[in-house]
């Protein structure tokens, strides 16, 4: 009996050691200087937030702009074609080959992306060390362009495409949380946005797991840099043209530029989709988690009510299944 208990204890200890080793492997890619990407916030559902962010970013990153579509249409109409009947027969004959080649191309792209190192992937989640704060690094040259595209379309259509992802901020600079580093990096960033034309601005400071950076000091120093770039720049706390978001997370400082910050509800995707004209109860319509369009049937509630929705998800799904069986 004693030998059995000893062997069982050894097996358990070996099992726990293996789990700890795997946990360390998953946490290898952490926040560091020089990265650019997107800062996401959520309410205690980080896996769902990461899935929402990946789906939303890939959807809009692969979406073609209207100018690209017009160019393709103009080139297709300007080219001389042969007889329409011949073209149709050729299209039917090559349709199967086109589908197979497209599938092979997509599979090869997925394989190459999986074999790529983590820093060179288009979107890669990064551990920030803070709960409900997720950073997704990106190789895109301008994260602000993609976020502006997302929030503008959500503000226009009011279609909710996320369930757990709350705020989405474009991060253009990550540096160490020291005043000298922050001031030099911010000066280079402000040259791009505040040196050409006079603009109104506001500086919004958030701090998590860091007590070394003082709020008043960093706001005054950054405002002084903005005013030096162009004397016509003015501070406006209510309705600024550009908001400078300073997120200090542990030992790092993340700088974000957010135009029309209050118009787009502080870049809260759920608040943007919150329409006062049509408030639909989430129990009134069925929910499909895999389809972004079906997720838009959920009413975009306030951030305070998100925890109640998340807690009632299981009961909600069972009620929906019963209704579908009855119908």
């Amino acid at each position: 009996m004693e030998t059995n208990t000893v062997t069982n204890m050894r097996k358990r200890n070996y099992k726990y050691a293996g789990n700890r080793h795997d946990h360390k492997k998953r946490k290898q890619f952490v926040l560091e200087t020089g990265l650019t990407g997107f800062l996401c916030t959520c309410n205690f559902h980080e896996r769902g937030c990461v899935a929402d962010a990946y789906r939303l970013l890939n959807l809009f990153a692969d979406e073609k702009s209207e100018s690209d579509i017009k160019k393709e249409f103009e080139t297709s109409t300007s080219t001389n074609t042969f007889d329409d009947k011949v073209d149709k027969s050729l299209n039917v004959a090559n349709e199967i080959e086109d589908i197979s080649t497209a599938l092979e191309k997509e599979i090869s792209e997925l394989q190459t992306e999986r074999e790529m190192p983590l820093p060179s992937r288009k979107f890669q989640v990064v551990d920030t060390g803070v709960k409900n704060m997720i950073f997704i690094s990106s190789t895109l040259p301008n994260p602000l362009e993609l976020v502006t595209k997302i929030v503008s379309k959500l503000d226009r259509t009011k279609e909710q495409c996320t369930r757990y992802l709350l705020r989405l901020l474009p991060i253009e600079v990550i540096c160490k949380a020291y005043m000298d580093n922050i001031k030099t990096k911010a000066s280079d960033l402000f040259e791009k946005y505040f040196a050409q034309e006079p603009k109104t601005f506001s500086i919004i400071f958030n701090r998590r797991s860091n007590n070394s950076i003082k709020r008043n000091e960093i706001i005054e120093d950054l405002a002084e840099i903005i005013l030096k770039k162009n004397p016509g720049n003015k501070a406006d706390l209510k309705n600024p043209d550009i908001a400078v978001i300073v997120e200090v997370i542990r030992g790092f400082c993340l700088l974000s530029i957010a135009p029309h910050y209050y118009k787009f509800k502080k870049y809260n995707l759920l608040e943007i989709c919150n329409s006062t004209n049509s408030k639909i109860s989430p129990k009134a319509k069925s929910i499909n988690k895999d389809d972004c369009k079906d997720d838009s049937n959920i009413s975009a509630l306030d951030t305070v009510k998100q925890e109640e929705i998340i807690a009632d998800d299981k009961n909600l799904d069972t009620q929906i299944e019963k209704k579908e069986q009855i119908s």
Side-chain angles (χ1 to χ4, degrees), residues 179-192:
M179 286 304 302
D180 294 335
N181 292 335
I182 295 172
K183 288 166 69 174
T184 53
K185 294 294 183 180
S187 179
D188 297 336
L189 180 64
F190 295 161
E191 186 70 25
K192 180 180 177 182

Side-chain angles (χ1 to χ4, degrees), residues 43 151 154-156 158-163 165-168 261-276 279 298-306:
N43 280 340
V151 295
L154 294 182
D155 183 62
R156 186 175 65 254
K158 301 297 181 183
E159 293 181 357
Q160 183 179 334
C161 289
T162 60
R163 188 181 182 89
L165 172 61
L166 300 181
R167 297 181 68 201
L168 181 67
Y261 184 65
Y262 294 104
K263 176 187 175 183
F264 293 131
K265 308 296 182 181
K266 300 180 181 180
Y267 284 48
N268 189 320
L269 305 185
L270 300 183
E271 290 291 334
I272 292 173
C273 298
N274 187 9
S275 178
T276 57
K279 291 184 179 180
I298 313 167
S299 61
L301 301 177
D302 296 334
T303 307
V304 181
K305 297 181 181 179
Q306 275 298 310

